[in-house]
Amino acid sequence: MEYVSSLPVTLVFIALFALLQIPMTIVVGFRRVQTDTHFLDGGDQTLLKRMRAHGNFTETVPISLLAMAAAEIAGAPHLLLWAGGCALLLGRLMHYGTLVNSGFGHGRSIGMIFTMTPMLIFPGYILLTLAGLRL
């Protein structure tokens, strides 16, 4: 059975981000077991870092993927979609890695820039398209 999608680029990134969410969730759960912390962070800084890294991923990725899907539906060029999706992926990995390993650093800031760029570009493309402008 052949599957044809109107969102071929977005579907790739949805799959990648869904798979990335799994280990992020697991490392939080493992730390909860190690510290016997069933709710909140129990004052454990490692658990707190893992929770915030996971939470920030969960807060930014879904809306970014929705905006990406909407941009793809609106006819965004595949190059723009691939560039934005790769930037989002790189940004989330940089932010997560920096936050979990050290808490602060340039990787976290750069990761947020890479995350926010597609969050701006995709809706911008949609609004320009709705206004009758094409890139």
Side-chain angles (χ1 to χ4, degrees):
M1 175 182 200
E2 185 177 326
Y3 178 73
V4 178
S5 170
S6 61
L7 301 172
V9 179
T10 301
L11 288 178
V12 170
F13 286 100
I14 289 172
L16 290 173
F17 282 108
L19 290 171
L20 279 174
Q21 183 95 23
I22 295 167
M24 290 180 188
T25 303
I26 289 171
V27 297
V28 170
F30 280 156
R31 188 64 183 180
R32 287 190 178 287
V33 170
Q34 288 174 337
T35 60
D36 196 33
T37 304
H38 303 287
F39 189 69
L40 298 175
D41 60 45
D44 183 81
Q45 289 300 304
T46 300
L47 178 56
L48 179 60
K49 287 178 188 178
R50 290 179 185 182
M51 286 172 56
R52 280 311 313 140
H54 176 260
N56 192 274
F57 183 94
T58 304
E59 294 159 2
T60 56
V61 168
I63 194 66
S64 299
L65 291 173
L66 284 171
M68 183 180 196
E72 192 162 8
I73 290 168
H78 280 199
L79 180 60
L80 178 69
L81 296 165
W82 281 105
C86 288
L88 182 63
L89 182 61
L90 178 62
R92 293 293 72 218
L93 290 173
M94 288 179 72
H95 183 271
Y96 181 85
T98 304
L99 185 56
V100 167
N101 290 320
S102 64
F104 294 98
H106 294 299
R108 188 172 170 203
S109 301
I110 294 167
M112 284 309 298
I113 291 168
F114 275 104
T115 297
M116 293 295 180
T117 299
M119 288 178 77
L120 176 66
I121 299 290
F122 293 143
Y125 179 87
I126 296 161
L127 293 173
L128 289 172
T129 299
L130 289 173
L133 303 171
R134 284 282 179 185
L135 298 178

